[in-house]
Amino acid sequence: MLEPGNDKLTQAQLEYCWKQSHIAAVRYNVPPCFSDYVMMIMLAEICPKSVEDFLEKSSLRRLMIGGKGEYNLRVVNCCVCIHFVDGEVLTDEWIGDISWREYFEGAYVEYDIAILELIRYQYYDAGIRQ
């Protein structure tokens, strides 16, 4: 369904991603923002131009807006960088001011690597390939 090389996802493909994220949240009993995060990092590798479109209707976006306010998003070398209006940068542990793990822990969302990998496998089995 989704493979590297897509310039931008169609609306139907975005709907499919949101549906798969919801299925993963229910299946693994995690908050939808966590399964959205996993989808976001996969999309950054597959179709970086569609990450912002995916986030538009995601629980992860609602969590970020509710917690830190508006933000600007950039995808650099398959890495999602979130620049909040307060100047803080949310990205991978070695680059930003705050890591995704720290951000989720601050929002009382468990960042479980084992569950993250299970969700990635589910997405892969659903045809979302990187």
Side-chain angles (χ1 to χ4, degrees):
M1 167 96 188
L2 307 179
E3 296 194 11
N6 289 338
D7 188 39
K8 199 154 169 109
L9 299 181
T10 66
Q11 187 63 33
Q13 289 171 318
L14 284 168
E15 294 287 340
Y16 184 74
C17 290
W18 290 316
K19 179 181 176 185
Q20 288 301 316
S21 182
H22 177 74
I23 290 168
V26 171
R27 181 175 184 186
Y28 296 107
N29 195 28
V30 297
C33 61
F34 189 72
S35 57
D36 287 347
Y37 163 72
V38 179
M39 181 65 75
M40 179 190 71
I41 59 177
M42 288 187 73
L43 289 177
E45 296 173 10
I46 298 169
C47 192
K49 291 181 180 179
S50 291
V51 170
E52 196 161 357
D53 294 335
F54 172 76
L55 283 178
E56 190 173 306
K57 291 185 181 178
S58 73
S59 295
L60 180 57
R61 179 180 187 278
R62 288 188 294 278
L63 176 70
M64 291 189 300
I65 296 274
K68 300 281 289 172
E70 292 295 324
Y71 63 86
N72 291 313
L73 176 140
R74 288 187 324 148
V75 179
V76 180
N77 296 327
C78 300
C79 177
V80 177
C81 299
I82 305 291
H83 298 264
F84 291 104
V85 292
D86 67 0
E88 198 165 52
V89 178
L90 170 61
T91 191
D92 291 329
E93 295 173 19
W94 59 90
I95 299 172
D97 299 317
I98 184 171
S99 70
W100 285 101
R101 178 185 295 277
E102 293 167 331
Y103 188 78
F104 279 119
E105 287 172 357
Y108 303 101
V109 174
E110 184 178 4
Y111 188 98
D112 186 326
I113 294 292
I115 297 294
L116 186 147
E117 288 302 316
L118 289 172
I119 294 171
R120 286 176 73 99
Y121 292 138
Q122 175 182 319
Y123 293 162
Y124 188 83
D125 288 345
I128 301 167
R129 310 247 194 275
Q130 55 193 46

